[in-house]
Structure formats: structure tokens, C-alpha cells
Amino acid sequence: MKRRTFFRASTALAAMTLAGAAFAADPIVVGAVAPKTGPLAGGAAVTHWPNIQLWVSEVNARGGLNVGGEQRMLEVIEYDDQTNPAETIKAVTRLAQQDNADIILSPYSTGLSLAAAPIFDRLGIPQITSSAATDQIDELAGQFPNLFFLLGRSAEIAGGAVEAMAKMRDAGEIGNRVALVNVADAFGIELVSAGKPALEAAGFEIVYETSYPLGTQDLSPIMKAAKDAEPDAFVAFSYPGDTFGLTEQAMIEGLDVGVFYTGVGTAFPSFAGRFGAAAEGIMGIGGVNASSETFLDYAARLEAETGSQPDYWASGQMYASLQILEAAIEATGTLDMAEVTQYIKDNSFETVMGTITFDDQNSSTGYWTAGQWQDGVFKGVASFGGLDGVVEPFVKAGWE
């Protein structure tokens, strides 16, 4: 567990421009925990950390959060949990008990977020997850009344991929044979548990299936075996490192499929940057309304502030989670997290991802489930809740 602090200098500089009363106000300490090392560090570097930087910068540029009529600047303490749930729990506890953080943000990823949920519950802190997808939402919401979900259920996410593939199959563009693989952690296991029966119910035949440990470096045996099974479609519920690795191995092996679908990381701008024209037509988890002016404005602000482009899925949800927390604190006028949590449950919020309302602690507004690289943009091709901006999938043309 490694501690870093940032925005101290910018906080002090901005505070010097404020009136005397605001200048004297104690800063609000924001605690942040997520990987900077380990298998999920790359994903957090795209989706998690830049959004915290943008939010803190924008809030402080406005003079800080208004808490009961007092403007208070934000100061962040961050910890690297090394993609280790035990370190996540240790860091959240330290933030609360030693660093006296006023706000603690939800960790990155499904597994790390759920590992930390009991700690957030005991501390009475709202945990708005923006990178956790699970079919246990109803159970978890009952167990942890301060736990909120923006990405939705695994069954809906897997269903989005199956829905898009079925459209292509029914149009005669692909066949029925599917190779199915998953990363063996909470995220991948839940998705394949939902995705396999959904594929079979839609009339697809699973001709190859396997899983692999998080952090696996050599993915060539998986791709060789998948190719030997002669599938019409390849589906991987994967995390960023393996998403890139599987795609690279598919190109090396010359895997010839009509649909190539990978998980987290497919929506990263760096995915298209790495694979160029070969990315065109690749499908993956997530998506956005690529023509949304609100999203495009947010993306431009993020890049201007951090030098990082958002991914076309969970980045916007991460920033939305911060907007929700900000709005709830300012509306209640307090840092009493019980009041803040109740306000989140009872109200709607305007965010970069549209208006968000929680129904039993799950976003009832809808969310993206599947996307595809089209014309250099990862566009949403399926959503839960009928979001605007859905486009039709097309057959992947093949590796170039």
C-alpha cells in the first residue's frame, strides 16, 4: 500500500484567491484507493485516476465545495492497492482512521469494489461504484444500504453482446459457433456464468471454452485452441491486459471470425491506437452515445486537464459518480455521510452520462452494455434501458 497526495499546491494557490473566510476554511480531505501497480493498473490509469484529477481541479477552480454556505477546497490522499483486495481494505481503513478523510471514493473494478463494501458499510460512507458489474446487486443492496451501482448487472452486459451477435447471425452474417473465454476473477466469472446460458438460449453453439488467471501473460495457447475449434465468433470476458493480449494473439494466429468480442479495455482509445485499422469492427463491453455533446464536452475537458482521453464506457460513469457525490454534499450542506447517502437514494442527478436516478441502489436510467469500433470510434450497439444513440453492429472485416 503506497500513499500519495496531490493537488496540495493547486489547492493552496486557488485558496489564495478566495475571500478571507473561504481561505480560512479547512480543506475537505478526499481519499482515493485504486491500482497503480498490478494487473489492473492500466485500466485504473485510464478510467479511474484521471477523472479524480479532473473533478478536483474543476471543483477547486470554482472555489471548492459549498458545504452549508462555506466554500471548502478539496485535498486528495491516494493509495495504490496494487490490485490486491487486502490492500484495498487496508487503505480504506487507514484513510478513515488515520488520515481522517471526509470523503472516500469507491475503488476500481468489480472485485476490489465488492471487497471494500463491508468496510464502507461499517464506516457509513456512500460507495458509488462506477467500474463494478454484478448480478448480486439486489442482495448487496440489501446487505449494504450505502452501496450504489452505475454499470448494472452482469446478465444485462452479457445479454447486450448476445443481442448484437444474434442480430448479425439472424441476418446471415455469422454462423452459430462460438469460442468463449473469461478471466477467472469475480468480474469474468459472473459474466461467463450469465453469458454462456444466454448464448445457448439464443441458439449459439459453444465449441470452445476456457478460463485463465488474472495477470496471465502467455495467452497464445488459448488462441491456438480457439482457432482449432473453428468458431464463427470469439467472445472473451477479459480485463485490459488480457484484452490487448488476446487481440494481439488473434492477429498473430490469423483467427478468422465474423465477431471478435473482448471485455474491459476494448473501449480504451489506446486500443484503436495500438491496433489501428484492425480494430475496426471489433466488439466489446460498454459503449457510449458517441454523438452526445455532453459526453464530447466532458472528453475534451478531461484531455485538456490530464492529457488522457476517456474510455468509451466507464470513464464517463466514474466522473458521473463524482458529480453525484458533489451534488449530494452541496444539496444537504453537510459532510454527514448518512444524510448524503439518503439524498443520493431519494434524488436524480444531472451528469455527463445523462440524468441518473437510483432504484434500490442500481441506476434505473439505463447503461451501455456492448459497443463496436466503427469509423475510429467505439459506438454503443446495445444498451439496457433504451438509451439514445444506439447504432447497428456490422461484421468485422478481418485483420489488416
Side-chain angles (χ1 to χ4, degrees):
M1 180 175 63
K2 302 175 183 177
R3 168 177 167 163
R4 295 185 178 88
T5 60
F6 61 93
F7 290 117
R8 290 184 182 275
S10 61
T11 296
L13 179 62
M16 291 173 63
T17 68
L18 301 178
F23 179 80
D26 291 335
I28 295 171
V29 178
V30 179
V33 181
K36 286 182 175 287
T37 55
L40 297 183
V46 174
T47 302
H48 193 84
W49 294 116
N51 281 291
I52 297 173
Q53 182 179 341
L54 174 63
W55 179 63
V56 172
S57 177
E58 292 187 336
V59 168
N60 284 349
R62 295 194 294 268
L65 284 185
N66 186 326
V67 184
E70 183 179 51
Q71 293 294 132
R72 297 178 61 181
M73 306 294 280
L74 302 182
E75 179 182 291
V76 180
I77 298 174
E78 61 181 58
Y79 285 104
D80 172 15
D81 64 17
Q82 304 164 43
T83 319
N84 182 331
E87 292 297 320
T88 306
I89 294 168
K90 188 187 303 182
V92 172
T93 302
R94 180 170 178 175
L95 282 165
Q97 297 180 351
Q98 297 182 38
D99 298 320
N100 297 316
D102 299 294
I103 299 168
I104 302 178
L105 306 177
S106 183
Y108 173 79
S109 83
T110 299
L112 299 178
S113 294
L114 298 188
I119 304 300
F120 275 83
D121 180 60
R122 285 201 290 272
L123 295 171
I125 298 171
Q127 183 184 1
I128 310 172
T129 67
S130 59
S131 53
T134 176
D135 283 334
Q136 303 176 59
I137 287 178
D138 294 338
E139 175 186 343
L140 290 166
Q143 186 177 3
F144 305 119
N146 58 339
L147 180 61
F148 300 88
F149 293 89
L150 290 174
L151 288 190
R153 294 177 170 84
S154 301
E156 293 152 2
I157 292 173
V162 175
E163 173 191 334
M165 291 171 59
K167 286 182 180 179
M168 299 167 74
R169 189 269 316 278
D170 294 346
E173 297 171 338
I174 62 171
N176 276 333
R177 297 168 60 85
V178 178
L180 179 64
V181 309
N182 69 280
V183 60
D185 86 327
F187 167 84
I189 292 169
E190 277 210 24
L191 278 169
V192 78
S193 296
K196 181 178 179 180
L199 285 165
E200 292 173 336
F204 289 98
E205 177 188 2
I206 310 297
V207 296
Y208 173 73
E209 182 181 359
T210 194
S211 64
Y212 53 89
L214 179 64
T216 298
Q217 297 298 311
D218 184 8
L219 296 165
S220 58
I222 291 175
M223 199 55 65
K224 290 178 185 296
K227 181 181 179 181
D228 289 345
E230 299 182 350
D232 300 302
F234 177 86
V235 175
F237 296 119
S238 51
Y239 265 141
D242 24 309
T243 290
F244 280 70
L246 288 166
T247 305
E248 188 171 83
Q249 285 301 317
M251 295 174 68
I252 291 171
E253 294 296 329
L255 181 69
D256 184 15
V257 290
V259 167
F260 188 83
Y261 172 102
T262 45
V264 182
T266 317
F268 290 1
S270 57
F271 186 90
R274 178 166 176 177
F275 296 112
E280 190 75 0
I282 289 179
M283 292 177 59
I285 195 169
V288 297
N289 178 354
S291 62
S292 164
E293 292 184 6
T294 302
F295 180 84
L296 293 173
D297 174 71
Y298 148 72
R301 299 195 329 265
L302 183 73
E303 186 169 11
E305 173 63 32
T306 69
S308 175
Q309 296 177 312
D311 70 64
Y312 293 103
W313 182 37
S315 282
Q317 298 287 18
M318 174 58 186
Y319 192 78
S321 75
L322 302 171
Q323 290 181 299
I324 291 168
L325 189 59
E326 174 186 347
I329 290 170
E330 294 202 329
T332 58
T334 182
L335 291 173
D336 182 319
M337 291 296 115
E339 290 190 38
V340 171
T341 298
Q342 192 61 50
Y343 188 88
I344 294 170
K345 289 183 177 182
D346 294 341
N347 291 274
S348 297
F349 301 87
E350 297 302 321
T351 76
V352 296
M353 299 303 287
T355 303
I356 293 177
T357 302
F358 292 100
D359 181 7
D360 293 329
Q361 297 160 231
N362 186 34
S363 173
S364 62
T365 309
Y367 29 81
W368 296 95
T369 57
Q372 185 179 53
W373 283 99
Q374 298 182 8
D375 302 320
V377 177
F378 193 76
K379 301 178 181 179
V381 297
S383 71
F384 179 80
L387 298 179
D388 292 334
V390 175
V391 298
E392 289 297 314
F394 60 85
V395 174
K396 178 181 170 296
W399 312 115
E400 296 183 13

